[in-house]
Amino acid sequence: MTRALHHQANLFVSRLDEQQRRWYCALESKRLGHGGEQLIARITGVSEKTIRRGRRELAAELAECPVGRIRHAGGGRPAAEVRDPELESTLERLLAPETAGNPQGRGKYKRSSLRQLSRRLAQGGHRASADTVGRLVRKLGYSPRVNARRKEAKSSPPERDAQFNYIDERKEEFLAKGEPVISVDTKKKS
């Protein structure tokens, strides 16, 4: 009987967020009285220190606990670009030679996947997951998805990358001379 009750309590506790878990354990320990904190800690695996914190918060009628959040503002680890201030500018430099625009819209596209960009950043000493790279790519105004032509290019000949590099080199030459660069998007008609 006791084992089944403990199993149900642990099942219930596993579905709660960290605040709710702390408060539930605090209520149960208070209900049990003397030795309740140790018993609830042993049953649920929640530390006695956490249960005591829950009891203090409940005694204060949750006055210090933020509504609609689990943690206080500023909680959690700092964003990757805060820890590494050069990350965003390095990513922008990686994207510059492979940027393509959508002639019908204002979106910018890239040729590399988020994982490829993450690996290239790591090679340069800037650690960032593909998710972080995706967030930064959106912040820089790029679509996080690989351009559709890039997906088609997997079946294209290997010279295609050389073509892109050639175009990028010519573009840089013209920009260095202060001359305009015009991009023309054409479709092959069969």
Side-chain angles (χ1 to χ4, degrees):
M1 176 86 172
T2 304
R3 178 172 276 171
L5 190 59
H6 290 183
H7 174 73
Q8 286 180 339
N10 278 317
L11 184 63
F12 176 68
V13 166
S14 72
R15 300 297 197 274
L16 302 175
D17 66 34
E18 56 188 87
Q19 283 182 334
Q20 295 165 340
R21 189 176 308 121
R22 183 170 62 239
W23 299 332
Y24 170 75
C25 291
L27 281 173
E28 286 298 306
S29 72
K30 187 175 181 180
R31 185 181 64 79
L32 292 171
H34 181 70
E37 287 176 9
Q38 292 86 5
L39 181 60
I40 294 296
R42 202 166 52 240
I43 292 169
T44 62
V46 175
S47 77
E48 291 179 44
K49 182 179 174 184
T50 300
I51 295 171
R52 282 192 294 276
R53 178 180 171 195
R55 287 180 84 158
R56 282 192 308 274
E57 289 172 347
L58 289 171
E61 297 187 356
L62 308 178
E64 296 294 316
C65 301
V67 177
R69 309 178 54 105
I70 294 176
R71 296 192 173 105
H72 289 279
R77 94 177 74 151
E81 61 271 24
V82 172
R83 289 190 315 254
D84 182 359
E86 296 295 314
L87 179 63
E88 205 170 323
S89 59
T90 303
L91 177 61
E92 211 164 3
R93 281 193 301 275
L94 285 176
L95 289 170
E98 62 175 55
T99 300
N102 178 357
Q104 282 79 31
R106 295 184 327 208
K108 292 191 286 187
Y109 294 94
K110 61 197 176 19
R111 288 197 307 258
S112 298
S113 72
L114 298 176
R115 284 193 182 119
Q116 289 170 334
L117 289 169
S118 176
R119 274 194 296 274
R120 287 171 50 202
L121 283 168
Q123 289 169 353
H126 303 280
R127 292 186 59 211
S129 69
D131 290 340
T132 299
V133 171
R135 183 174 48 77
L136 292 174
V137 159
R138 279 188 292 279
K139 184 178 174 185
L140 293 171
Y142 288 83
S143 169
R145 286 186 225 109
V146 175
N147 190 355
R149 286 188 194 90
R150 181 65 182 135
K151 291 177 188 172
E152 294 167 6
K154 288 180 181 176
S155 62
S156 297
E159 303 87 46
R160 184 164 177 124
D161 196 41
Q163 291 171 352
F164 279 122
N165 290 334
Y166 176 80
I167 292 169
D168 287 336
E169 289 169 10
R170 296 299 79 74
K171 180 180 85 173
E172 291 303 320
E173 279 179 31
F174 280 92
L175 289 173
K177 293 177 186 175
E179 296 177 6
V181 176
I182 300 172
S183 172
V184 179
D185 188 12
T186 61
K187 304 287 184 228
K188 188 162 128 183
K189 305 272 182 182
S190 323

